[in-house]
Amino acid sequence: MNDICPGVIRLMYVSRCAPDISRDQVEEMLTTARAFNLQHGITGVLIHGGDRFMQVLEGPEHDVIQLYARIVDDRRHYDCGLIRVMPITTHLFPDWDMHTIYCASERLQDISRFRDPRNEARLAEEFTRALSQFVSLLEPE
C-alpha cells in the first residue's frame, strides 16, 4: 500500500551537541523521549556521532511538530537545522519508540546530501530509500 498516511509525517533534523554532554546525559534524554514517544505514537531514531545529533521522528503531525519545538529549546544541543519534513507512506521505524545509534563522527559528515537547499521536494520514495540506506550503513562505535 502506497497511500500517504493522513496527518502522519517524517521530520529529520541535525544539531550540534553541547560541548559538555556526556553519554549518560544522552541516555537520560533517550529514556524521557521513549516514554513521551510511546504515549504520542512517535517512532524514530537518534544518531549520535562525535559532536552531532541527527534525528528522524515519525508520527502524527501535530505531535511531531510540538516535539520538535521542545527539542529546539533543549540546551543539550544547539544549531538545530531542519533537514526535511514530509508526509509519509510508510514508517521506516515502526517498532522503534526511539532507537539509538552511536557512531563515529565522520559517519555523519554526509548528512548534507539530505538537505534540499532550494526547497524542491524530491520524490518521497527516493528520500525514504536514501535515508533507510544511510541508517542501515551506520556502524556503532
Side-chain angles (χ1 to χ4, degrees), residues 11-14 45-47 53-57 71 98:
L11 182 149
M12 179 180 173
Y13 75 89
V14 63
V45 62
L46 175 71
I47 301 165
F53 286 123
M54 181 183 108
Q55 188 167 29
V56 179
L57 301 167
I71 288 169
M98 189 46 57

Side-chain angles (χ1 to χ4, degrees), residues 32-83:
T32 303
R34 288 181 180 119
F36 180 88
N37 292 353
L38 193 58
Q39 286 182 329
H40 293 89
I42 296 172
T43 61
V45 62
L46 175 71
I47 301 165
H48 182 210
D51 69 341
R52 292 182 187 250
F53 286 123
M54 181 183 108
Q55 188 167 29
V56 179
L57 301 167
E58 298 175 331
E61 181 176 12
H62 180 264
D63 294 319
V64 170
I65 297 298
Q66 274 195 326
L67 176 56
Y68 180 66
R70 286 178 43 201
I71 288 169
V72 168
D73 289 337
D74 191 318
R75 293 176 188 247
R76 291 172 286 197
H77 67 132
Y78 64 98
D79 198 19
C80 208
L82 192 59
I83 302 239

Side-chain angles (χ1 to χ4, degrees), residues 20-132:
D20 57 350
I21 195 164
S22 69
R23 196 166 186 148
D24 286 343
Q25 287 174 303
V26 173
E27 290 298 325
E28 180 183 307
M29 182 172 60
L30 289 164
T31 299
T32 303
R34 288 181 180 119
F36 180 88
N37 292 353
L38 193 58
Q39 286 182 329
H40 293 89
I42 296 172
T43 61
V45 62
L46 175 71
I47 301 165
H48 182 210
D51 69 341
R52 292 182 187 250
F53 286 123
M54 181 183 108
Q55 188 167 29
V56 179
L57 301 167
E58 298 175 331
E61 181 176 12
H62 180 264
D63 294 319
V64 170
I65 297 298
Q66 274 195 326
L67 176 56
Y68 180 66
R70 286 178 43 201
I71 288 169
V72 168
D73 289 337
D74 191 318
R75 293 176 188 247
R76 291 172 286 197
H77 67 132
Y78 64 98
D79 198 19
C80 208
L82 192 59
I83 302 239
R84 190 78 180 246
V85 179
M86 61 189 270
I88 59 174
T89 56
T90 58
H91 287 259
L92 283 176
F93 315 104
D95 301 320
W96 293 357
D97 49 12
M98 189 46 57
H99 188 69
T100 312
I101 298 173
Y102 292 97
C103 67
S105 58
E106 61 270 8
R107 300 293 301 190
L108 292 182
Q109 297 306 310
D110 201 22
I111 292 172
S112 61
R113 72 185 172 116
F114 292 109
R115 264 184 217 263
D116 194 310
R118 294 169 299 191
N119 228 3
E120 295 173 3
R122 291 194 327 197
L123 293 175
E125 291 93 8
E126 178 187 339
F127 178 77
T128 300
R129 190 172 35 257
L131 179 58
S132 180

